[in-house]
Amino acid sequence: MTNSVFRVSSMYFVVVLSVSCSASVYGILRFASYYGDHMVLQKSPERAVLWGYGPEDAHVFLLLIGPTNQKASPVNVTKGIWRVTIDPVEAGGPYTVIVATENSTATLTDVLFGDVWLCGGQSNMYFNMSQIFNASEELAIAAKFPHVRTFMAGLIESKTELTDLTKVELPWAVPTEGLSGQESVAPFSAVCWLFGRYMYKYLNYPIGLVESCWGGTPVEVWSSSRALKHCGLEEPEDGPKGNSMLWNAMIHPLLNMTIKGAIWYQGEANTYYHTDEYNCSFPAMIDDWRMAFHQGSGGQTAPDFPFGFVQLSTDRKGSADDGFPDIRWHQTADIGYVPNGRMKRTFMAVALDLPDETSPYSTIHPRDKQDVAYRLTLGARAVAYYEKHVPFLGPFPQQILSAATYVNITYDQNVSVTPSKVIFEICCSGTQDPCGPTSKWVQAPIVQWGPTTVQLSAQLCPVTDVVAALRYAWRDWPCDFKACPIYSASGILPAPPFLINHYPGEDNIWIN
Ligand SMILES: *[C@@H]1O[C@H](CO)[C@@H](O)[C@H](O)[C@H]1NC(C)=O
Ligand SMILES: *[C@@H]1O[C@H](CO)[C@@H](O)[C@H](O)[C@H]1NC(C)=O
Ligand SMILES: *[C@@H]1O[C@H](CO)[C@@H](O)[C@H](O)[C@H]1NC(C)=O
Ligand SMILES: *[C@@H]1O[C@H](CO)[C@@H](O)[C@H](O)[C@H]1NC(C)=O
Ligand SMILES: *[C@@H]1O[C@H](CO)[C@@H](O)[C@H](O)[C@H]1NC(C)=O
Ligand SMILES: *[C@@H]1O[C@H](CO)[C@@H](O)[C@H](O)[C@H]1NC(C)=O
Ligand SMILES: *[C@@H]1O[C@H](CO)[C@@H](O)[C@H](O)[C@H]1NC(C)=O
Ligand SMILES: *[C@@H]1O[C@H](CO)[C@@H](O)[C@H](O)[C@H]1NC(C)=O
């Protein structure tokens, strides 16, 4: 323990004294499953919530001992549960947290205060550090980040909302030197860990990472019945991973913990399941999580906490339309970029330019998670931490102009253009028809370009037709690794895919 122990009130010594003479009595005073030694609790201005179990009606005292000390007002155990919301604590540590009743105590040691991020989704979030490119180098430096701490929820399903996690896969751990570091980081989510490590370099204070994800899962299993009902998806589903099953077992128990934000990598399982509804189900899940975490933490977790996600990468090269383009679009609520009016305080890492044709874990699991995590951190800096002037959005059309033989796109920023890849397409329709089942999509090659503009040829449309829609990168696997045609001027941020309709009779300038 640190020197600070000697600075605390005499109350502390009373507590310690009583432990020694009643060690085996009332073993039931304890913390909930996800509190543990080495954990990170949410720093100020939010207040961390701690809760656990104790003998009915006992008074529970909580002490925080470390760089600053705190004695919380006693609370009573009700229905077997106590709960304390501590005063805000600045980033740092280490702290010892002690809870005590008249005759027993429970202690957490080496606790840090920092930002707590929840990491959810399916297999690409579950994808661990030992599976990525450069895994051995990445693991070797993990120990340099002892203030980035990890915790992983166990894989459990439930038909009812659970109060606590019934299984912990990896308790809170420090990525220290040697084997132990490898033990805690190697099996941990690569996107989550790398995000935390990059954010630590930026923020310079502790980061707590809570991984709660499961491979092969559609968004419906992570959604409460409230969120599903909002989208007309509440009818019961058969099978083990039915509606709300993982919301119940792996998210609901975490609601009472104060968190800074969440990141998410999911959607592959919805490319063939409730695909058309994803533009409702995904934004609705985000709204519902925000409301529920805010309520569960007694107002500590922000009601609009930042939510970052990875737009789907790639699976099948040569596949024309297999649900990937639709889910990518629906991930943005059909706007094309986030944040937007429907999805406030969200940020997105575009990943369609990071395919991995030789992934030993199948192509749906690309091994470059470094770029994915890095792009997430750009969004987090801008959206979650309000950093000004940090570029985090790839180029998006600000104006589209169609003439008889060409289409001009003006982007919202300077672009870096490589015309070799043909992935713009135009929808050719009869002059009175919107783009529909009888229309034809044809390639629209890049003819020329300027700092913010790209001109496409519309010559492949029959002369009797008009251009009724324009789409970009609208296929599962649109380009080779980091070789899409349109990036930000810096070359770092790929343009996200889009599909924009132009109704017949409208002006030839399409304003977004
Ligand atoms: C421990 O405290 C409880 C009340 O919280 C009391 O009922 C019980 O008798 C105490 N046991 C001992 C051994 O002091
Ligand atoms: C706890 O219970 C005691 C009676 O045992 C009561 O006087 C006190 O007000 C209760 N405290 C809270 C915070 O409910
Ligand atoms: C990482 O995931 C792979 C595939 O699921 C698994 O075989 C491996 O054991 C995991 N690595 C660690 C260190 O847990
Ligand atoms: C969601 O997508 C479907 C299918 O593309 C579409 O019919 C529907 O209008 C969209 N709904 C919203 C709210 O954007
Ligand atoms: C957690 O929060 C929920 C929602 O506010 C509440 O119903 C539940 O009682 C809380 N659980 C604990 C252990 O405080
Ligand atoms: C792996 O390491 C090499 C050599 O340092 C580097 O060029 C490459 O970009 C790294 N790959 C990833 C995905 O970070
Ligand atoms: C379309 O773009 C080309 C190339 O930049 C430009 O010469 C032309 O004037 C543009 N058309 C219109 C109507 O602005
Ligand atoms: C965009 O490009 C133009 C022309 O190359 C340049 O003058 C301008 O400074 C660039 N703008 C930004 C924001 O980089």
Side-chain angles (χ1 to χ4, degrees), residues 353-422:
D353 68 329
L354 304 173
D356 182 2
E357 207 168 352
T358 56
S359 174
Y361 311 103
S362 92
T363 48
I364 204 168
H365 300 129
R367 285 166 291 172
D368 177 2
K369 297 298 193 238
Q370 287 90 334
D371 281 294
V372 167
Y374 176 71
R375 290 172 187 179
L376 276 176
T377 61
L378 295 178
R381 284 165 55 180
V383 172
Y385 295 94
Y386 302 108
E387 186 186 352
K388 291 212 161 52
H389 311 304
V390 52
F392 71 105
L393 294 169
F396 201 80
Q398 195 167 58
Q399 180 187 289
I400 298 167
L401 177 153
S402 52
T405 56
Y406 63 84
V407 174
N408 280 0
I409 303 171
T410 305
Y411 281 96
D412 58 3
Q413 59 185 270
N414 281 1
V415 288
S416 155
V417 180
T418 312
S420 55
K421 299 286 183 293
V422 179

Side-chain angles (χ1 to χ4, degrees), residues 57-59 73-78:
D57 295 330
H59 306 301
S73 315
V75 295
N76 296 339
V77 175
T78 311

Side-chain angles (χ1 to χ4, degrees), residues 20 60 147 168 209 219 251 363 367 384 444 495:
S20 52
V60 175
H147 289 168
V168 170
L209 300 170
V219 72
I251 300 296
T363 48
R367 285 166 291 172

Side-chain angles (χ1 to χ4, degrees), residues 20-53:
S20 52
C21 56
S22 65
S24 65
V25 181
Y26 273 58
I28 49 176
L29 178 72
R30 60 189 171 94
F31 289 89
S33 66
Y34 50 87
Y35 296 94
D37 294 346
H38 316 300
M39 81 178 302
V40 177
L41 290 169
Q42 182 56 44
K43 72 166 187 73
S44 61
E46 288 82 25
R47 302 164 62 180
V49 177
L50 292 121
W51 69 274
Y53 310 93

